[in-house]
Amino acid sequence: MQIKKAVIPAAGLGTRVLPATKVMPKEMLPIVDKPAIQYIVEEAVASGIEDILIITSRGKDLIEDHFDKTPELESRLYGTQKYKLHQDILDISNLANIYFLRQKEAKGLGHAVLCARSFVGNEPFAVLYGDDVIIGEKPVTKQLMEVYEKFERGVLGVKKVSSDVIQNYSSIKIDPIYDNIYSCTDMIEKPSKDQVLSLYSILGRCILPPEIFEVLENTKPGRGDEIQLTDAMCIIAQSTGFMAVDFIGKRYDMGDKLGIMKASVETALTHPEIGESFRGYLKKVCMNL
Ligand code: UTP
């Protein structure tokens, strides 16, 4: 079955980036000149997704506005003959069928995904975490979709993390299948040292089977008193199993101060407009370090 729908949970409180995120959604933080969530929507579209549901919350209306039309701005850009910019701005509102739904309380990533139940219906769907920007030649969601089409099983986007940070992430039990493809039969969110299953962690992308909703309905709040998506995925991992893809792409955590800086610096270095002058500036800064 082809994956046509994607859910982008973007309703978290973003406490790790306060005070920037007191009013501004972290998903709207720019990487040079484009908000994080636009990179994510563009990845979904480039992967062939047609319908996207963004889960928002109070105070996140900016996200909805960003994907709307802006007639006054558009006519000003056209009138001043800034045709390229005019087209870029128009394109944002025509990217895909984008729907919005509010998660009324920040009860966790699992709860945010559960909010998407009636949008998704009875088909497999992609989840792209709203604060994880992944840049690479081939869209990561597409990499996962290809594995889904082959194995017809849920697929996790995974990467190895270092042993000193695995306790802040999920840890999964995996067995190699071929190349960068694995099977996954168990997982745990934020493991203690003796609970670590491997240094592979689920990072930012997955394809979930519709059965996840039934499981989420019955998932009790776990770590941080939130309904953890990992707890629900674990039930499926232990029964039918998941596939896992060690995806090719550079991931930036836009919910983390260092992640935001890495995204900005690395993207600025390759930016067509400012790349060269930024490189010169950065070299000068580095000489004084
Ligand atoms: P995070 O755990 O990184 O988001 O969730 P957070 O709760 O905003 O983080 P901090 O710890 O307070 O900084 C990963 C993704 O899930 C969404 C977030 O918006 C983010 O894109 N999320 C999280 C929800 O949509 N709802 C929630 O209740 C929690």
Side-chain angles (χ1 to χ4, degrees), residues 192-230:
S192 60
K193 265 196 185 127
D194 55 327
Q195 289 175 318
V196 172
L197 299 168
S198 79
L199 291 180
Y200 280 94
S201 184
I202 305 162
L203 293 183
R205 303 288 182 268
C206 54
I207 308 279
L208 296 176
E211 290 75 33
I212 194 76
F213 294 119
E214 198 60 48
V215 181
L216 278 169
E217 282 280 4
N218 297 301
T219 302
K220 301 264 170 306
R223 283 220 162 240
D225 208 26
E226 293 189 338
I227 297 179
Q228 296 288 346
L229 183 59
T230 312

Side-chain angles (χ1 to χ4, degrees), residues 9-16 26-27 103 106-109 112 129-131 255:
L13 295 175
T15 55
R16 284 169 295 152
K26 63 177 164 179
E27 297 79 10
Q103 182 189 18
K107 290 189 190 164
L109 180 57
Y129 301 9
D131 56 355

Side-chain angles (χ1 to χ4, degrees), residues 71-115:
E72 202 181 331
L73 175 66
E74 285 155 27
S75 62
R76 170 68 62 90
L77 292 173
Y78 195 80
T80 50
Q81 286 151 34
K82 294 183 174 144
Y83 299 125
K84 163 85 174 64
L85 202 50
H86 172 255
Q87 192 56 49
D88 288 349
I89 296 298
L90 265 185
D91 289 348
I92 299 171
S93 51
N94 291 323
L95 275 168
N97 303 319
I98 305 183
Y99 305 85
F100 298 89
L101 186 78
R102 280 193 182 197
Q103 182 189 18
K104 296 195 175 83
E105 276 177 88
K107 290 189 190 164
L109 180 57
H111 180 259
V113 170
L114 183 56
C115 292

